[in-house]
Amino acid sequence: DHRDLHVRSRRQRQMCIRDRFTLLGRCSEELRKRVAAGWGKFHSLWPLLGKRDGDLHKRLQLFDACVSKTVLWCSESWLITQKEKRLLQSTQNIMLRKIVGPRRGQNEDWISWVKRSTRKALTAARASGIRLWHDAHLRSKWHWAGHVLRMTPDRLARRGAVWRDSQWQRSEEQLPGQLRMRRPGVSRWFRWEDELRRFADHKNWGSWQAMAQQRGRWSGISDEFVAHTRLW
């Protein structure tokens, strides 16, 4: 009946917004889902985004409010590889070229046109205050890390963030060998906090967890963290 259909549609909506993380691929499946959803939103809005006689600033603002927000949903929890970071950047560049990029010259080769149109698209995007996806992911991760570390110790997010983190690892290394916890597997996996820890080492902090307790100072360093991490 109508009530069953309503319950079923609600469950389907809940499944559509659920994160997808796997042990082997980590965030790769979730990232592919986010990029696919972004393309779907982009194509649905193309009659407005691709309207060349419309105001470019407003079209870019629409892109940022709808497409970028779809792709970056819950991006603060991502743990992505360099290849996946390049996927984010290249996908946004393609979309921006379609919106902003000039038409290809008659005798212009394809690579030259891609470079020229990408430069123009990124210049227009920055002028309109459009978020670059990789930078936005790092910035949201930075603010989320500070928010989580200021939670009370009993909160699940806080417990998950500090479970076997760098501080725990240093304390374990000080124990006798027979008392240390053994990590599964033979290789060390890249952890969610590693980008934060490397930046803390760069700043000569004793611990990024301790610095995160200082809300004002932590929020003011987000741009520096993004610039430093982008160089890897």
Side-chain angles (χ1 to χ4, degrees):
D1 58 3
H2 176 73
R3 183 170 53 188
D4 291 338
L5 291 175
H6 174 71
V7 172
R8 191 180 308 161
S9 63
R10 184 177 60 188
R11 289 175 179 173
Q12 290 173 347
R13 289 195 301 269
Q14 291 173 348
M15 293 180 64
C16 288
I17 65 174
R18 187 176 301 165
D19 286 345
R20 296 180 181 178
F21 298 113
T22 61
L23 180 61
L24 182 61
R26 294 182 294 188
C27 297
S28 57
E29 184 176 350
E30 170 65 12
L31 184 64
R32 287 194 297 267
K33 186 185 77 168
R34 289 288 99 212
V35 170
W39 273 117
K41 182 64 68 175
F42 181 86
H43 290 309
S44 68
L45 294 172
W46 179 246
L48 296 174
L49 296 175
K51 191 174 178 60
R52 290 277 177 164
D53 57 346
D55 184 88
L56 177 60
H57 174 73
K58 292 182 179 179
R59 288 190 287 135
L60 288 174
Q61 289 291 327
L62 177 64
F63 170 83
D64 191 57
C66 297
V67 181
S68 295
K69 184 167 289 188
T70 299
V71 173
L72 296 173
W73 187 78
C74 286
S75 64
E76 62 271 11
S77 60
W78 290 351
L79 177 60
I80 57 179
T81 63
Q82 293 295 331
K83 181 179 179 180
E84 291 165 345
K85 292 175 182 178
R86 290 193 294 271
L87 171 63
L88 270 182
Q89 180 178 340
S90 62
T91 302
Q92 186 178 27
N93 288 348
I94 293 172
M95 292 181 178
L96 290 175
R97 281 200 303 268
K98 290 178 177 293
I99 299 173
V100 181
R103 301 188 185 281
R104 183 176 172 183
Q106 185 175 2
N107 298 320
E108 186 177 20
D109 63 273
W110 186 79
I111 295 179
S112 298
W113 171 79
V114 167
K115 292 180 178 179
R116 181 171 65 92
S117 59
T118 300
R119 285 195 298 268
K120 180 178 179 180
L122 291 177
T123 299
R126 291 189 179 97
S128 297
I130 302 306
R131 293 170 292 179
L132 299 182
W133 292 350
H134 179 221
D135 291 0
H137 152 62
L138 292 175
R139 189 170 288 106
S140 63
K141 177 176 180 176
W142 178 263
H143 289 295
W144 173 247
H147 176 67
V148 169
L149 264 293
R150 290 188 293 271
M151 290 179 177
T152 56
D154 61 312
R155 296 284 297 275
L156 182 59
R158 168 71 182 272
R159 292 164 59 190
V162 302
W163 184 77
R164 294 195 179 186
D165 61 358
S166 55
Q167 286 187 339
W168 175 89
Q169 186 177 11
R170 282 193 292 268
S171 64
E172 284 292 310
E173 290 173 352
Q174 296 175 0
L175 295 175
Q178 64 272 18
L179 298 179
R180 296 177 189 170
M181 296 286 292
R182 301 300 181 185
R183 290 177 59 86
V186 296
S187 62
R188 180 183 178 279
W189 281 40
F190 185 72
R191 296 175 300 190
W192 182 84
E193 69 147 350
D194 281 357
E195 291 173 324
L196 306 167
R197 179 183 52 79
R198 290 175 182 176
F199 180 71
D201 293 341
H202 167 71
K203 298 287 289 184
N204 294 320
W205 296 342
S207 166
W208 73 267
Q209 293 94 331
M211 184 60 65
Q213 303 300 325
Q214 306 179 33
R215 182 191 301 270
R217 187 176 180 186
W218 182 264
S219 299
I221 309 177
S222 61
D223 290 341
E224 189 176 351
F225 166 73
V226 171
H228 177 266
T229 308
R230 193 195 302 127
L231 297 176
W232 296 352

